[in-house]
Amino acid sequence: MKTHIVAFALSIIISLSARAELKWEQTMIELHPTPADKQAIGHFKYQNPGKTPVHFKSVHASCGCTTAQSQKDEVPPGGTGEITATFNIGDRTGTQVKTVTVETDEAPNAKTVLTLKTIIPQQLEISPTFVFWKQGDKADPKTITVKAGKEFTVKHIKVTSSSPDFQTKVEEKGNGEFQIDVQPQETKNVVASTLTIQPEDSQKVFYATARITNAPTIQ
Amino acid sequence: MRSPLVRQILILVALALAPGIGQAVYFRHKVSWQSPIPPSELVTVDQARVWGKNVIWVDARPDDEFASDHAPGAISLNEDRWNELLPQFLAEWSPGKKVVVYCSSLSCNASREVARRLRKEAKLPDVFVLEGGWEAWVKKNR
């Protein structure tokens, strides 16, 4: 009976493996770009170990922020190549998982999903990125907390307000933590300021917004 | 003592489950494993329409798609240019306004991410994701 079970299991494994002609070196890539990088690029390498050519029918990225390209349309027997997936980081933060679906003519429904996982380093965590006062509110200061990311050392930060209508004061709390007190001159008029937050010795700039808003909308 | 039949069944079940469990562990961080958006954070086109002018429509699609077409009065806010676009959105926001974020419903996660950042980073209340996305809006309005 044991022989039957093993034979059954083997037949399933063999039948499954016979379907897949393109052999992928890896279908999941994890990338760790630097804070200065604009793009993260993954190279998914493949080989055709079969005896017939394999044609790509489509290569489709899951998101507009990711492009995917195949070097060739046809992979001859024994041929190798790669799908290049380019993820545009933009102003994204945190862990981003994007997929590329590759469809070939090797078998019906022969789709391979390639996964590009990008860990975007976050030098500063700012909370909240928006402080506001309603018109007529008391012009009390509001606090923005800034914390250095796990892999970064930030000793000092520089904060600049784009408008003289808001004053800022930075307090260093130690261990890479800072407190920014933001205070409007007055709250009579609808005004706004972009607060530029820059770690010392870094080109990277972060932003927060301070604003006097209209009175609440009547619902 | 178990009968041989039970043992065989157990072995077959274990064999059948092994690839699934392996995939579940290996691909645990894939998008498809993300929890669905809670119903309280979703809104339909009809529900949003009832809110009338109290809604700010936010288009989370890439710039070219927004330039091609968008909901009237919608504000572009995508993660490609988040730092540049966010102040423009905040200029339109005021307390009491509801925010409805949409993107293309076809394999797109942008509206969910934009809504999450507005809630978590800017600490805005009443931020919703449009159920069915841009395609649902077009179906109801064109």
Side-chain angles (χ1 to χ4, degrees):
Chain A
M1 187 53 74
K2 266 187 186 172
T3 317
H4 290 154
I5 292 170
V6 171
F8 177 69
L10 279 175
S11 66
I12 290 174
I13 292 165
I14 289 166
S15 64
L16 285 173
S17 61
R19 237 185 60 180
E21 286 189 31
L22 274 192
K23 191 179 171 188
W24 295 88
E25 206 169 273
Q26 53 194 142
T27 55
M28 185 176 198
I29 293 177
E30 185 173 307
L31 299 172
H32 295 262
T34 69
D37 288 344
K38 306 279 184 205
Q39 293 181 325
I41 301 172
H43 302 274
F44 294 93
K45 294 181 178 174
Y46 57 77
Q47 188 190 9
N48 178 7
K51 293 180 180 175
T52 55
V54 173
H55 298 87
F56 287 108
K57 288 167 78 178
S58 67
V59 178
H60 176 71
S62 64
C63 167
C65 55
T66 306
T67 56
Q69 280 188 322
S70 169
Q71 291 173 320
K72 50 186 103 175
D73 295 333
E74 181 187 301
V75 190
T80 59
E82 67 176 42
I83 299 286
T84 306
T86 305
F87 170 62
N88 292 309
I89 296 170
D91 292 331
R92 290 171 182 81
T93 59
T95 300
Q96 300 281 330
V97 180
K98 307 298 172 194
T99 59
V100 174
T101 304
V102 180
E103 194 177 359
T104 63
D105 65 351
E106 54 196 72
N109 304 317
K111 287 183 180 176
T112 303
V113 177
L114 307 172
T115 304
L116 190 68
K117 183 178 177 182
T118 308
I119 316 285
I120 303 169
Q122 200 163 358
Q123 193 174 7
L124 290 184
E125 288 170 20
I126 300 168
S127 181
T129 54
F130 176 50
V131 286
F132 69 94
W133 294 256
K134 295 189 282 281
Q135 273 184 301
D137 274 357
K138 202 173 172 189
D140 287 337
K142 294 201 174 185
T143 300
I144 294 173
T145 303
V146 177
K147 194 176 172 186
K150 284 176 188 170
E151 298 162 8
F152 297 92
T153 303
V154 179
K155 288 182 179 172
H156 306 288
I157 58 168
K158 185 183 171 190
V159 179
T160 314
S161 171
S162 66
S163 161
D165 295 321
F166 295 86
Q167 299 294 314
T168 60
K169 191 178 84 177
V170 180
E171 189 180 338
E172 296 179 1
K173 309 292 276 185
N175 292 327
E177 281 193 42
F178 306 88
Q179 183 177 305
I180 306 171
D181 288 329
V182 187
Q183 187 166 24
Q185 302 281 24
E186 44 87 16
T187 62
K188 276 190 287 186
N189 302 313
V190 173
V191 287
S193 172
T194 297
L195 308 177
T196 305
I197 304 165
Q198 189 167 20
E200 187 187 54
D201 303 329
S202 173
Q203 297 297 313
K204 183 86 176 172
V205 176
F206 299 82
Y207 300 95
T209 303
R211 168 170 283 276
I212 311 297
T213 69
N214 294 313
T217 308
I218 298 164
Q219 295 179 55
Chain B
M1 191 170 163
R2 289 172 187 153
S3 72
L5 182 64
V6 172
R7 194 168 59 203
Q8 286 164 30
I9 290 170
L10 286 173
I11 291 170
L12 284 173
V13 168
L15 278 171
L17 285 175
I21 293 168
Q23 276 204 332
V25 173
Y26 189 73
F27 294 114
R28 62 190 179 279
H29 298 304
K30 282 187 69 174
V31 175
S32 56
W33 285 81
Q34 286 187 349
S35 57
I37 302 171
S40 60
E41 294 172 5
L42 273 174
V43 68
T44 63
V45 175
D46 289 336
Q47 286 170 323
R49 197 182 274 167
V50 172
W51 295 334
K53 291 183 178 177
N54 200 32
V55 173
I56 302 176
W57 291 88
V58 171
D59 191 317
R61 299 175 303 160
D63 289 340
D64 56 341
E65 290 181 40
F66 177 80
S68 170
D69 198 4
H70 56 263
I75 296 167
S76 176
L77 178 58
N78 58 59
E79 289 197 287
D80 290 327
R81 297 191 297 129
W82 179 266
N83 292 334
E84 188 184 335
L85 298 172
L86 181 63
Q88 295 170 25
F89 159 77
L90 292 173
E92 297 297 320
W93 182 87
S94 61
K97 289 255 184 188
K98 295 183 191 298
V99 180
V100 178
V101 190
Y102 68 83
C103 64
S104 170
S105 67
L106 301 169
S107 63
C108 174
N109 211 28
S111 56
R112 179 193 179 121
E113 277 302 301
V114 165
R116 184 190 66 79
R117 291 184 73 171
L118 289 176
R119 282 191 218 103
K120 190 184 170 192
E121 296 177 14
K123 307 285 185 200
L124 294 188
D126 295 331
V127 179
F128 303 88
V129 170
L130 184 67
E131 198 172 338
W134 169 244
E135 288 77 7
W137 189 92
V138 168
K139 198 175 171 184
K140 288 277 183 180
N141 291 278
R142 299 277 165 85

